[in-house]
Amino acid sequence: MQTVETDRIVIVGAGLGALYAALKLAPRPVVMISPETLGEGASSAWAQGGVAAAMDAADSAQSHAADTVKAGDGTVDHGIADLVTQEARAHILDLTELGTPFDRTKDGGYVMSREAAHSFARVVRVKGDQAGAEIMAALIDKVRQTPSIQVLEGTMATELEVTEGRVTGIAVEAADDLRSLPVMLRGAAVLLAGGGSGGLYALTTNPPRIRGQVIGMAARAGAMIADPEFVQFHPTAMDVGEDPAPLATEALRGEGAILINDLGERFMQAVHPDAELAPRDVVARAIFAQSQAGRRPMLDTRDVLGEAIKTQFPSVAEACARNGIDPAVEPIPVAAAAHYHMGGIATDEHGRASLGNLWVCGEASSTGLHGANRLASNGLLEALVFARICAEEIAAVVPEGTAPLINLTFEEGGNPPDPMAVRALRETMTSHVGVVRDASGLKTALRKIAALESDYGSSMSFLNMTATATLIAAAALTRKESRGAHERSDYPEAFPGDGERSRLTLNDALAIRSQICKETS
């Protein structure tokens, strides 16, 4: 394998965490590995709701932390919740300074939205539902102006090189359909900030390339993984046949939109005291139950917003128009779709993974903030806080200096994942490891994943996907209770008291999978 040595810090990913960390590391030389052009293909750019932060004088970081702990259903790390919520305000001010055009009131304050499971309106937004895209645009502009940052667009990471428990390199290849032979890139340190796992499911709101590869890559290298069974399903993905599914932001329900079925019945009031603003897992299961009963669930914005939805929530309006829906006069069909992975690469409070010289921030990480069910709009906040933490930790061990630009030459001979195998994997995850799970389905999933891996495992990228899928299904099978986003129909109750976080390696998950396969052989 061709090897390239550099003094640059290697950042895998091009979303909010990656961009923010790169800026915080300046003037230390950085190289970002970005499969697409900056601003395209990152989940951060698709985030509609905004960033949760206690900006109102009547609100507090303590209240924000309490809501985070409550939503997380017993498995949130209280220290991490306190840390992240205490920092939230400073990061909003920092993003404002960097040029993010947050919605402001006439007197200069921030326009705040209330989202599910928040006790206060504390979600800072941009142009209604444009927060992710606008924050990304501001950061990309700064990154483009920062000479210490090099961005290798059209490049993706596939494998970590580990020597004596320490990450010493990262294999990268061309990100096009044909891929390329890998090149081993050895830098000063490695930060993984490459997204979650939603695209492992056939019904998802995530960008097409977000399919668990970064988590799987670290797991295959031996990193400890935490809470992989906890996958959040967004209740109101638009059920219009698009892949990925467009998102009808939770802020619509914050404005007063209601959920009805095709009979016009409002069903959330009988499910939870907070009705449409119940925690996401509760709303997702209620929507899933309506679908399973043959009653099509829909989001009704007509009375509360009417024509105003088209100016206040342009992303939603555009997706509706694209699919022949006028939300001012008809409800929007919705379904529960894989949206955010609470689990991921286990990190400590300094963003360090279990492997040396490896840091992780953003959705690929599992810091303990989200517990069993992420509080709405805490995802972008966590990415910001831990991007800053990781940058400072890396800066403490990598001295300032300069480094020449990296010139990679990719050679033909790549091994891209087979599209039919990817489709089969995604359908398996949606059918058997979805909103509601049971032992029979999870065992079926593990057997199918093993078969796909056996038949199509020559692609490193596909092996990264199946590694993450195996971890999710194995941990879900092991957790014989229902907690947060993890719902077991055969174990409908939660264990008494606070829950425990899952921690397992890929070898642990593979042992479980192997045992399941032996049971039917």
Side-chain angles (χ1 to χ4, degrees):
M1 186 187 301
Q2 179 188 350
T3 300
V4 174
E5 306 272 354
T6 178
D7 289 330
R8 292 180 179 269
I9 297 156
V10 182
I11 299 179
V12 175
L16 180 63
L19 293 164
Y20 202 58
L23 289 169
K24 295 299 179 185
L25 280 163
R28 287 169 178 78
V30 162
V31 58
M32 294 175 61
I33 307 300
S34 174
E36 272 93 14
T37 303
L38 279 188
E40 300 175 9
S43 295
S44 304
W46 293 29
Q48 292 184 358
V51 184
M55 303 298 289
D56 193 293
D59 196 9
S60 69
Q62 291 77 14
S63 175
H64 185 182
D67 287 348
T68 298
V69 169
K70 183 178 178 182
D73 202 8
T75 59
V76 171
D77 183 316
H78 290 225
I80 297 296
D82 289 340
L83 166 69
V84 172
T85 55
Q86 288 286 349
E87 285 201 18
R89 179 182 178 83
H91 286 289
I92 296 299
L93 298 176
D94 191 24
L95 288 177
T96 304
E97 186 75 17
L98 288 168
T100 302
F102 288 113
D103 294 349
R104 309 298 284 266
T105 62
K106 289 181 180 179
D107 60 2
Y110 291 87
V111 174
M112 312 295 289
S113 293
R114 185 181 172 203
E115 293 189 359
H118 285 275
S119 60
F120 208 90
R122 65 165 68 93
V123 179
V124 187
R125 65 191 196 186
V126 188
K127 299 178 183 176
D129 59 7
Q130 302 285 298
E134 291 291 337
I135 294 170
M136 287 281 287
L139 295 183
I140 288 168
D141 185 54
K142 292 295 183 184
V143 163
R144 297 286 193 203
Q145 298 174 36
T146 304
S148 60
I149 302 173
Q150 180 183 6
V151 183
L152 294 177
E153 295 175 331
T155 305
M156 69 182 300
T158 57
E159 201 162 19
L160 293 176
E161 177 188 68
V162 179
T163 306
E164 297 180 351
R166 185 175 183 273
V167 174
T168 50
I170 187 159
V172 299
E173 58 187 51
D176 58 25
D177 289 342
L178 295 178
R179 303 296 173 86
S180 68
L181 292 176
V183 175
M184 181 59 65
L185 184 60
R186 294 194 178 121
V190 175
L191 169 62
L192 299 181
S197 307
L200 284 175
Y201 289 80
L203 187 55
T204 181
T205 62
N206 283 194
R209 214 185 283 271
I210 307 298
R211 290 179 177 158
Q213 296 98 318
V214 172
I215 295 169
M217 177 173 61
R220 287 176 53 232
M224 181 63 69
I225 306 299
D227 298 336
E229 69 271 36
F230 294 122
V231 178
Q232 187 171 75
F233 296 86
H234 199 291
T236 53
M238 294 189 201
D239 188 14
V240 292
E242 289 188 20
D243 180 23
L247 189 63
T249 174
E250 204 157 88
L252 292 167
R253 283 175 280 140
E255 293 289 327
I258 61 173
L259 288 163
I260 60 173
N261 60 25
D262 56 354
L263 299 178
E265 299 168 338
R266 186 178 177 188
F267 54 86
M268 280 308 302
Q269 289 170 308
V271 174
H272 193 277
D274 292 336
E276 282 79 8
L277 289 176
R280 281 185 175 177
D281 61 300
V282 175
V283 184
R285 283 193 290 273
I287 284 175
F288 181 74
Q290 291 287 322
S291 298
Q292 292 295 99
R295 298 266 65 92
R296 192 174 200 194
M298 295 178 284
L299 183 68
D300 190 351
T301 67
R302 293 173 294 183
D303 290 344
V304 69
L305 286 169
E307 288 289 336
I309 190 175
K310 297 173 184 177
T311 53
Q312 291 184 29
F313 298 93
S315 290
V316 174
E318 181 184 344
C320 285
R322 196 166 62 238
N323 289 282
I325 299 168
D326 185 348
V329 298
E330 58 187 316
I332 305 165
V334 293
H339 180 64
Y340 189 93
H341 197 172
M342 277 79 73
I345 304 159
T347 67
D348 63 14
E349 68 273 22
H350 306 294
R352 290 179 178 269
S354 61
L355 298 172
N357 203 37
L358 181 66
W359 289 261
V360 195
C361 69
E363 195 175 345
S365 70
S366 182
T367 65
L369 175 68
H370 304 308
N373 189 38
R374 176 181 67 113
L375 182 67
S377 291
N378 265 359
L380 294 183
L381 173 61
E382 181 196 46
L384 291 165
V385 171
F386 274 89
R388 192 273 304 164
I389 289 171
C390 288
E392 290 185 358
E393 292 290 325
I394 294 170
V397 296
V398 177
E400 288 189 24
T402 59
L405 293 176
I406 298 168
N407 293 304
L408 294 183
T409 302
F410 291 121
E411 298 178 3
E412 293 181 3
N415 197 353
D418 184 287
M420 291 182 62
V422 174
R423 189 178 310 118
L425 177 62
R426 297 178 71 201
E427 289 170 354
T428 295
M429 294 297 286
T430 287
S431 297
H432 302 295
V433 199
V435 178
V436 179
R437 304 152 173 185
D438 62 28
S440 175
L442 292 167
K443 290 177 180 180
T444 297
L446 287 167
R447 287 190 289 267
K448 289 189 174 186
I449 295 165
L452 286 168
E453 194 172 286
S454 176
D455 292 341
Y456 300 97
S458 60
S459 165
M460 293 297 104
S461 186
F462 189 64
L463 284 177
N464 291 335
M465 296 181 209
T466 58
T468 303
T470 297
L471 284 155
I472 294 170
L477 181 64
T478 303
R479 185 175 288 276
K480 296 178 179 179
E481 65 166 345
S482 291
R483 184 177 295 277
H486 171 70
E487 176 77 5
R488 286 283 297 263
S489 60
D490 49 352
Y491 293 96
E493 301 299 322
F495 294 140
D498 285 346
E500 292 185 7
R501 297 183 66 195
S502 299
R503 290 184 182 273
L504 70 166
T505 64
L506 180 57
N507 283 341
D508 296 330
L510 290 173
I512 294 168
R513 191 179 80 179
S514 177
Q515 183 60 41
I516 298 305
C517 291
K518 285 178 183 177
E519 290 176 5
T520 56
S521 60

